[in-house]
């Protein structure tokens, strides 16, 4: 059952369920409006019923084909969970138990967003090293949020965490990875959704996940980038180029990282990142590396805090590094006036910095 329809389905079947019958969720998502987990919805709609979750690296087609797999069932009641373990175990399908309902459920939810990020990399041809890095750092992100919300750290090292993530991030059967690959190939989320017959929970749950991360003060840079791509704020190509160039180390106070659109024959406009030093008295930027050749009347932008400030540049070949005159403008391309940092009438744009 898709997460956004979970509550309505429960309300429809509520009158047909006998009292005290355990209710087990197999849905790996969050309700968008309330940010609630599926077990929380069950407890709200069907109070008095024991609640649990069955999760893990369980790709549906392989389970239906009878291939060997392992799963984990989580409930707070250790006695009931052992009874249900025997009920769900069958042949080559082995079920383990856990009492960490929050951790097991969040592991299944959050890995979907990381799978989209991995798919984006695969769609861009980023390679195995990138995939391994995203899975590893993605596990760190979901563990931080899961523990902040009450999950246990060891849960994310098991089937509900890294196990489920490996399957979802690497399998061609994964819907979330498929969404990421299509985004990496340049398709919009609207086009991808129209072409799919099933739901990719990561795309649906991403806004709720980012809201929860903000609520609990947890930093999730990979998930944040995925959300920006899903919402249309940026593209997979731009995100991966930006991440690639974040390794310049600590910049001097007068330096920043700047970006320009560059035309690529394969994928069209892609960002090029360079290090720049501001020259307040001359209203110029000096740009490294020297071999970077700016086009006349090109648009660059730098990040001041968490906001992009745009500038129009005029290239001048004054040796190494390049000197670029500028006129500041806002996000819509209109000239800006005023005396605040980053405006056309102020010499010092402040100290920009990349995101943490």
């Amino acid at each position: 059952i898709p997460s956004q329809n979970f509550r309505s389905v429960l309300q429809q079947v509520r009158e047909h369920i006998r009292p005290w019958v355990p209710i087990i969720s197999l849905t790996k998502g969050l309700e968008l409006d309330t940010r609630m987990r599926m077990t929380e919805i069950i407890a709200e709609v069907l109070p008095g019923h024991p609640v649990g979750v069955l999760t893990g690296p369980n790709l549906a087609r392989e389970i239906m084909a009878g291939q060997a797999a392992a799963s984990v069932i989580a409930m707070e009641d250790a006695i009931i969970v052992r009874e249900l373990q025997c009920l769900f175990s069958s042949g080559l399908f082995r079920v383990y138990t856990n009492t960490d309902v929050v951790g097991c459920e969040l592991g299944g939810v959050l890995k979907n967003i990381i799978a989209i990020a991995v798919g984006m990399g695969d769609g861009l041809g980023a390679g195995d090293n990138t995939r391994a890095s995203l899975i590893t750092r993605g596990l760190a992100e979901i563990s931080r949020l899961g523990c902040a919300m009450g999950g246990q750290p060891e849960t994310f090292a098991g089937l509900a965490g890294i196990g489920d993530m490996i399957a979802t991030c690497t399998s061609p059967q994964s819907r979330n990875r498929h969404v990421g690959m299509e985004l990496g190939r340049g398709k919009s989320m609207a086009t991808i959704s129209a072409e799919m017959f099933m739901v990719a929970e990561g795309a649906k749950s991403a806004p709720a996940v980012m809201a929860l991360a903000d609520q609990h003060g947890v930093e999730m840079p990979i998930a944040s980038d995925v959300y920006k791509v899903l919402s249309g704020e940026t593209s997979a190509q731009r995100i991966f180029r930006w991440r690639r160039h974040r390794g310049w180390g600590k910049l001097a106070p007068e330096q920043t990282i700047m970006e320009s659109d560059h035309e690529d024959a394969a994928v069209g406009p892609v960002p090029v990142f360079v290090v720049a030093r501001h020259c307040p008295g001359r209203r110029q930027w000096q740009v490294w590396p020297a071999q970077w050749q700016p086009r006349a009347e090109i648009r660059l932008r730098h990040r001041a805090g968490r906001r992009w400030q745009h500038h129009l540049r005029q290239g001048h070949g004054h040796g190494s590094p390049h000197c670029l005159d500028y006129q500041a403008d806002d996000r819509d391309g209109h000239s800006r006036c005023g005396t605040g940092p980053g405006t056309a009438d102020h010499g010092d744009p402040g100290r920009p910095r990349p995101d943490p």
Side-chain angles (χ1 to χ4, degrees):
I1 303 172
S3 57
Q4 306 313 311
N5 303 106
F6 197 87
R7 182 185 294 272
S8 62
V9 172
L10 277 182
Q11 292 170 341
Q12 293 175 31
V13 303
R14 175 170 48 190
E15 60 186 47
H16 304 290
I17 301 177
R18 291 179 297 172
W20 309 110
V21 172
I23 308 295
I24 307 299
S25 169
L26 277 68
T27 300
K28 299 176 179 179
L30 297 172
E31 190 172 52
L32 195 55
D33 295 337
T34 64
R35 307 170 195 167
M36 293 173 69
R37 295 176 283 111
M38 299 302 102
T39 54
E40 293 178 311
I41 296 174
I42 295 171
E44 183 178 283
V45 177
L46 297 171
H49 289 263
V51 178
V53 57
L54 182 68
T55 186
N58 303 148
L59 296 164
R61 291 181 183 175
E62 294 185 8
I63 301 297
M64 292 170 64
Q67 297 179 359
S71 188
V72 56
I73 185 169
M75 296 186 74
E76 294 180 356
D77 192 311
I79 297 175
I80 299 178
V81 77
R82 283 196 295 269
E83 293 295 324
L84 291 176
Q85 177 187 24
C86 299
L87 179 65
F88 282 104
S89 296
S90 175
L92 295 177
F93 186 69
R94 184 165 185 173
V95 178
Y96 294 83
T97 63
N98 198 322
T99 56
D100 181 15
V101 177
V102 175
C104 287
E105 194 165 18
L106 287 175
V109 172
L110 302 176
K111 55 85 185 179
N112 288 327
I113 298 179
I114 306 303
I116 294 176
V118 172
M120 284 162 47
D122 291 343
L124 289 165
D128 295 336
N129 291 334
T130 300
R131 184 186 305 114
S133 300
L134 285 170
I135 292 174
T136 306
R137 295 312 307 162
L139 179 64
E141 287 190 19
I142 72 172
S143 299
R144 286 198 297 266
L145 181 57
C147 292
M149 294 180 64
Q152 300 301 314
E154 57 270 21
T155 298
F156 298 94
L159 290 169
I162 186 63
D164 201 359
M165 180 173 286
I166 290 173
T168 309
C169 291
T170 61
S171 173
Q173 300 178 44
S174 169
R175 296 188 295 273
N176 292 284
R177 178 176 176 269
H178 170 76
V179 168
M181 290 186 68
E182 295 301 298
L183 288 168
R185 291 165 179 161
K187 289 187 179 181
S188 67
M189 194 60 219
T191 301
I192 298 169
S193 299
E195 295 174 350
M196 291 183 66
F197 297 100
M198 301 182 74
V199 174
E201 286 289 356
K204 298 291 185 180
S205 299
V209 170
M210 295 316 304
L212 288 171
D214 290 340
Q215 177 183 333
H216 292 276
V218 176
E219 196 173 294
M220 301 183 72
I222 297 176
S224 176
D225 285 345
V226 170
Y227 173 66
K228 290 175 183 176
V229 175
L230 291 171
S231 62
E233 181 179 342
T234 186
S235 67
Q237 292 92 341
R238 190 176 296 276
I239 285 294
F240 269 79
R241 290 298 181 95
W242 168 244
R243 291 289 168 191
R244 175 183 172 188
H245 290 280
R246 289 183 67 178
W248 272 313
K250 186 176 181 180
L251 300 176
E254 69 277 11
Q255 290 182 332
T256 185
I257 296 174
M258 301 190 70
E259 175 190 21
S260 170
D261 281 339
H262 168 72
E263 194 72 24
D264 186 286
V267 296
V270 295
V272 175
F273 294 94
V274 293
V275 176
R277 182 193 304 271
H278 187 240
C279 309
R282 291 179 292 177
R283 293 166 61 86
Q284 290 179 338
W285 289 86
Q286 292 180 323
V287 180
W288 289 263
Q291 66 270 23
W292 180 73
Q293 297 294 331
R295 296 172 292 171
E297 196 67 9
I298 59 173
R299 179 184 300 272
L300 292 98
R301 59 184 189 168
H302 73 274
R303 188 123 182 158
R306 290 187 175 273
R307 180 184 177 191
W308 284 108
Q309 293 180 347
H310 293 249
H311 299 272
L312 290 176
R313 308 277 183 234
Q314 194 68 253
H316 297 279
H318 294 320
S320 175
H322 291 290
C323 294
L324 301 174
D325 296 334
Y326 68 84
Q327 175 186 2
D329 65 307
D330 62 17
R331 287 179 178 270
D332 299 321
H334 302 297
S335 296
R336 296 196 303 164
C337 300
T339 58
T343 62
D345 297 332
H346 194 275
D348 184 4
R351 178 169 179 192
R353 60 175 177 82
D355 278 339

